[in-house]
Amino acid sequence: MHSGRRTAIAAVAVLCAGPALGGCLGIGGDPDAGTNGVGKLPAASIERQAKTAAAGAHALRLAGTVVSGGQSYRLDMRLRDNGGVGEVSSKAGTFQLLRVGDDLYLKAGADFYGDGDDKDSQAAAAKLNGKYVKVPPGDPAYQQFSGFTDKKVLLADLFVLDGEVSVGDHRKVDAVKTIALNGSRGGSLDVSLKGTPYPLRYVRANGAGTLTLSDWGQDFTLAAPAKSQVVDYGSTVGTTPKK
């Protein structure tokens, strides 16, 4: 072996000796090195910082699955303090939700409405096809779907971990390092270890869905649809979406 090569090997051995060994081999070391330091805190402090960060962001994107009222929904929503917009899928079909202030609009194809057999229902459904339906606040559909567009309501659900909350493993959501908070009776919340400690993933207890959160603080346009695209379903159509 050439003396130069022996010298290089010896130098690497010195660098990797002791505490540095784990770093040379890609194991061990401090998992919180280069992070925002949140992973070193107690569970209650991590949860508090994540809650504060979430409340302080004026916009975000939320996507994934959630079980509500015994039904499973897949969501892909953009949320702001004054409303939200996005797509929801369920066994009844796929539809779009838009809420601006207190005004909730639902947009879907004709198959989403009526039972498909009755001629009157078919005619009513045809009027709704591809239109934004303005849902009156007193309608059951308003109560059922408005929560999917409500940033405050959805974020409050993130911080419901069943049982005693403890600090879990270091993980990743996409390429971002996270620290997990685990409920002793189910549920987990991944909190970002990069920059602001936003919640990035929420796994609901008892298989009730998984949500990912992204685009924190990234604004987007939220506006009511043109009047020509809106049907007032409370006074004009008199039908309700299939459940």
Side-chain angles (χ1 to χ4, degrees), residues 95-110:
F95 54 97
Q96 296 178 38
L97 288 177
L98 169 64
R99 184 176 63 83
V100 182
D102 293 329
D103 294 332
L104 177 67
Y105 303 89
L106 186 152
K107 182 179 179 181

Side-chain angles (χ1 to χ4, degrees), residues 96-184:
Q96 296 178 38
L97 288 177
L98 169 64
R99 184 176 63 83
V100 182
D102 293 329
D103 294 332
L104 177 67
Y105 303 89
L106 186 152
K107 182 179 179 181
D111 290 345
F112 184 77
Y113 301 97
D115 59 17
D117 296 324
D118 180 81
K119 289 185 178 181
D120 290 337
S121 295
Q122 290 177 353
K127 293 180 181 180
L128 299 176
N129 183 44
K131 295 285 188 177
Y132 284 96
V133 175
K134 188 173 183 181
V135 186
D139 191 278
Y142 190 99
Q143 303 303 318
Q144 184 178 9
F145 297 136
S146 62
F148 292 156
T149 65
D150 194 317
K151 172 177 173 281
K152 187 175 181 180
V153 168
L154 289 171
L155 291 185
D157 190 48
L158 297 180
F159 300 99
V160 180
L161 297 174
D162 289 352
E164 184 177 349
V165 180
S166 62
V167 179
D169 295 333
H170 286 73
R171 305 194 293 203
K172 283 187 177 181
V173 175
D174 293 329
V176 181
K177 291 182 178 180
T178 65
I179 186 68
L181 294 178
N182 298 323
S184 60

Side-chain angles (χ1 to χ4, degrees), residues 182-242:
N182 298 323
S184 60
R185 294 198 297 271
S188 70
L189 182 69
D190 278 78
V191 178
S192 176
L193 291 178
K194 178 181 179 181
T196 305
Y198 291 120
L200 299 184
R201 178 171 57 205
Y202 175 50
V203 179
R204 306 180 81 200
N206 303 314
T210 298
L211 297 169
T212 58
L213 304 102
S214 61
D215 297 346
W216 287 99
Q218 295 186 23
D219 207 358
F220 62 95
T221 300
L222 185 67
K227 291 184 178 180
S228 61
Q229 294 297 310
V230 177
V231 174
D232 185 340
Y233 112 174
S235 60
T236 304
V237 180
T239 188
T240 57
K242 293 188 298 181

